[in-house]
Amino acid sequence: MSAVFHDPDEAVERALFERRARVQGGAPGVPSLDEVLRAARDDSGETSSGRRRAWSGLALAAACLVTVIKTRPHDVSPSGITADVDGAASGTTDRGGGMCEEQAAVSSSTLDSTYASIVAVAPATQDSRACVAPPATFESFGTLSCDRDEANRTEMP
Amino acid sequence: MRAFFGDGADAPDADGDAVTLAPSTTACDRATLVSMYGDIAPRVHRFLRDLLGDATLASDATQETFVRAFRRVDDLPRATRLVPWVFGVARFVALEMRKARGRVRRVIDDGVAADDRAIDTQARTPEDTLLDREAVAVVERALGRLPEERRAALLLRCDHGLAYDEIAPLMGWSLSKVKVEIFRAREVLRATLQEYRGGGT
């Protein structure tokens, strides 16, 4: 194999490249030595681009975290809501059941718009679930009960 | 270029182990790099332009290469050969730039146009001008046909005169792989030259 690489024709390739290099001799765009030395001096030490990127990434992450914490709905303190609901419920309704008391308290409370929007969403979703669920359970329950009745009838005599 | 490889007698032989660099290149320090800059910077720029296919990008890459080189040169072992090491830094910078900016298509026509301008400005015989034009066209076309790593190996060997055993660690290849890759690249270059001459006559 080494005989192949001793091919003297490599001189042809080298001559081509040499001619091309001569043509491209004074290539524009080569930075000056001063420029490079200045950049090497400015870019060294504490202000390397890697560290700059790391710090800016960290700052961005911290900013995102603060934004998320500030805008989270969980920040509404549950103890404050409970206190309002309990107070209203004890004053206006009887103690028939927990659910009834809570709904009455919500409708008559004076929560601000943020609390009201949070509380108003919950009953709506419960209603929609209630509308969808009953037909399915009714159908399936009916067929099951018929089968059971047939079985009971055959065993009776 | 002559300062590093002499007038042909000092150029690497076919074995790739006979590179005789000028004595100044054996010292590995900042002062040596400063003194070599005027000779080596255009070569590194050409190497990066051939790898990246964009002269503007190559300028940025050249600056980044030498910024890194000047920051690290004083920490190198004394046995380090400075020219191959700088080309190694340049190749690493080219890989980083390509990764950062996505795959860069070689813009061969742009390079040929620029080379044509350079050819026209020189006072040469018509035959020389024709041969220059042929050399530029053939090399550019062949480089465009080569995969990136093989192209880099061919450039380091035939354009910049590095020895096989200098190219191997630079590319992260074994010595035998370097030889095979360069051999195949040379085949493409020769085929391109044949096509060019066949088409031209």
Side-chain angles (χ1 to χ4, degrees), chain A residues 51-120:
Chain A
R51 288 191 185 198
R52 272 204 304 271
R53 273 199 300 272
W55 279 113
S56 59
L58 198 64
L60 187 64
C64 288
L65 192 64
V66 167
T67 308
V68 166
I69 288 172
K70 278 185 176 173
T71 57
R72 251 172 71 188
H74 296 81
D75 269 358
V76 175
S77 89
S79 61
I81 294 174
T82 311
D84 291 341
V85 168
D86 287 347
S90 62
T92 58
T93 62
D94 59 359
R95 301 185 180 187
M99 288 297 288
C100 290
E101 282 182 5
E102 281 184 10
Q103 286 173 358
V106 166
S107 61
S108 62
S109 64
T110 55
L111 295 173
D112 65 22
S113 60
T114 309
Y115 299 159
S117 64
I118 293 165
V119 176

Side-chain angles (χ1 to χ4, degrees), chain A residues 22-43:
Chain A
R22 197 170 52 235
V23 168
Q24 295 175 335
V30 179
S32 69
L33 179 60
D34 289 340
E35 204 177 337
V36 170
L37 288 174
R38 202 180 315 119
R41 196 171 49 242
D42 293 346
D43 222 22

Side-chain angles (χ1 to χ4, degrees), chain B residues 38-190:
Chain B
D39 289 323
I40 197 174
R43 292 173 55 202
V44 168
H45 181 268
R46 193 170 71 241
F47 177 63
L48 287 166
R49 181 186 159 275
D50 287 333
L51 288 186
L52 294 167
D54 184 331
T56 309
L57 208 55
S59 296
D60 294 344
T62 304
Q63 169 143 347
E64 181 62 24
T65 298
F66 281 98
V67 166
R68 291 185 191 188
F70 276 113
R71 286 213 312 251
R72 297 175 193 166
V73 68
D74 289 327
D75 300 330
L76 291 176
R78 286 202 64 78
T80 306
R81 293 181 185 180
L82 204 48
V83 174
W85 177 74
V86 171
F87 274 104
V89 175
R91 181 168 180 268
F92 192 76
V93 168
L95 289 175
E96 276 189 354
M97 282 200 160
R98 184 175 291 116
K99 197 175 174 184
R101 299 188 182 220
R103 194 179 174 83
V104 179
R105 195 176 63 83
R106 282 183 57 78
V107 186
I108 296 171
D109 293 342
D110 184 41
V112 171
D115 296 336
D116 280 350
R117 282 196 299 274
I119 292 167
D120 292 341
T121 57
Q122 294 174 1
R124 302 173 65 81
T125 66
E127 188 186 354
D128 278 342
T129 305
L130 190 66
L131 288 172
D132 286 347
R133 207 178 294 269
E134 178 190 76
V136 171
V138 167
V139 171
E140 293 285 348
R141 198 176 297 175
L143 291 178
R145 291 176 177 177
L146 292 171
E148 290 167 16
E149 290 195 323
R150 195 171 288 175
R151 186 195 315 156
L154 180 73
L155 289 166
L156 290 169
R157 172 69 180 166
C158 293
D159 195 11
H160 304 288
L162 269 62
Y164 288 129
D165 62 351
E166 289 173 331
I167 296 170
L170 197 153
M171 298 293 294
W173 294 345
S174 67
L175 191 60
S176 57
K177 181 170 181 179
V178 171
K179 291 180 178 180
V180 169
E181 291 293 326
I182 291 175
F183 176 72
R184 288 179 181 159
R186 284 174 51 209
E187 280 188 326
V188 172
L189 185 61
R190 271 191 242 170

